[in-house]
Amino acid sequence: MTTEAGTVRPPAGAQAVRRALDVLHCFHDNGPDLSASDLARRLGLSTSTAHRLARTLLGAGFLEQDAGTARYRLGPAMTELGRLSYHQRGLHLAAPELSDLAERTGATADLALRSGPHVVVVAGGSVTPKAGLRRPLHSTAPGKVLLAWPRAGGVGPRSLPPPYASTERTAVEPAVLAAELERIREAGYALDDGESAHGVRTVAVPVLERAGHARFALALRGAPALITDERLDRYLAQARATARALEVLLLAPAERRGLDEGA
């Protein structure tokens, strides 16, 4: 809907949908169950509004409630959709490749994709019950890979929220980040050397689509004593070989058949 002044109003109900989605996003950190007052505090809403939103999501199966504490957690509908998305993306096929890569290198192997201003680990050794899956794009090796080879229509680093420093090594100046992304494109890989966390070194390469965009980022993570400068070329060779395999393996079946027919 457009007003006389020419501004575009959101469709009716859009604000309620946005708020309901914001409630679900409160559970991204994989922390403890949340009460209605916890949700209200995180979202800047009244407790009564947060309660109504949570009850609506509860009725649809997107949240469930502990009978003893009345606190909320993600519900069975989220589990179902998550599993469907996992298989639709072919990520169940990537797990053996990542396990093999980790065994060959001794590093943690992860596969990640972009979700707005974050990089999300979707498969690999970092996917554990106690670990959060979201990381900043600007300070992580897989995040910088996804920025360096953006998908069609993807926004660049200038459209991200203001970057923050996780450590003293994090680059937060836009010009510095832009220059680094250019170096990453030229080198074909990204390196996080203590920029997102102390004592961790990560190297990442793109898993490319046929159009040349990064569909995923493949990362190897370990201590600096493991991923040394002297061993970096070896780790890159292993990561790139796995990335090339995943570029085919993670295609939709029809696309894979097209490759076979083209051969």
Side-chain angles (χ1 to χ4, degrees):
M1 179 185 299
T2 305
T3 66
E4 292 182 3
T7 57
V8 178
R9 291 178 179 171
Q15 184 182 38
V17 172
R18 178 70 259 177
R19 284 180 170 178
L21 293 173
D22 288 341
V23 168
L24 295 177
H25 282 300
C26 286
F27 296 87
H28 269 304
D29 60 3
N30 200 28
D33 296 352
L34 300 174
S35 66
S37 59
D38 291 331
L39 295 170
R41 187 165 49 253
R42 292 191 180 197
L43 298 174
L45 301 173
S46 68
T47 301
S48 60
T49 298
H51 179 73
R52 287 196 301 272
L53 289 167
R55 297 298 295 180
T56 299
L57 292 166
L58 177 68
F62 288 96
L63 292 180
E64 65 181 14
Q65 191 175 34
D66 187 285
T69 66
R71 289 175 173 269
Y72 297 96
R73 64 178 69 96
L74 294 177
M78 294 295 295
T79 303
E80 179 185 8
L81 291 175
R83 295 302 298 173
L84 286 171
S85 177
Y86 186 83
H87 282 270
Q88 286 173 352
R89 292 179 180 273
L91 296 173
H92 59 295
L93 302 174
E97 295 288 339
L98 296 173
S99 295
D100 179 67
L101 178 61
E103 185 176 345
R104 284 186 281 113
T105 60
T108 299
D110 291 322
L111 194 67
L113 53 72
R114 180 173 179 175
S115 178
H118 299 95
V119 57
V120 180
V121 180
V122 292
S126 292
V127 181
T128 67
K130 294 184 179 181
L133 305 179
R134 303 172 101 208
R135 308 281 191 274
L137 282 168
H138 69 279
S139 63
T140 59
K144 287 185 282 191
V145 159
L146 293 168
L147 284 172
W149 287 274
R151 301 192 72 175
V155 297
R158 294 185 181 277
S159 301
L160 297 175
Y164 60 90
S166 300
T167 74
E168 71 281 358
R169 295 190 175 190
T170 308
V172 295
E173 299 83 1
V176 174
L177 180 58
E180 184 174 5
L181 294 179
E182 183 62 33
R183 289 194 297 271
I184 289 168
R185 282 188 289 268
E186 292 176 359
Y189 70 93
L191 183 66
D192 168 7
D193 195 0
E195 296 167 48
S196 57
H198 291 291
V200 177
R201 202 175 202 207
T202 305
V203 61
V205 298
V207 178
L208 296 171
E209 296 177 334
R210 298 175 73 178
H213 310 296
R215 184 180 181 191
F216 297 97
L218 174 65
L220 285 172
R221 178 174 56 85
L226 177 67
I227 306 178
T228 63
D229 289 341
E230 292 75 19
R231 296 173 181 165
L232 185 58
D233 286 344
R234 171 176 170 263
Y235 279 98
L236 279 171
Q238 298 278 5
R240 284 169 171 156
T242 300
R244 286 193 296 269
L246 291 175
E247 286 170 4
V248 176
L249 192 62
L250 296 178
L251 287 173
E255 292 178 293
R256 288 201 300 271
R257 286 195 297 272
L259 289 179
D260 293 339
E261 292 167 2

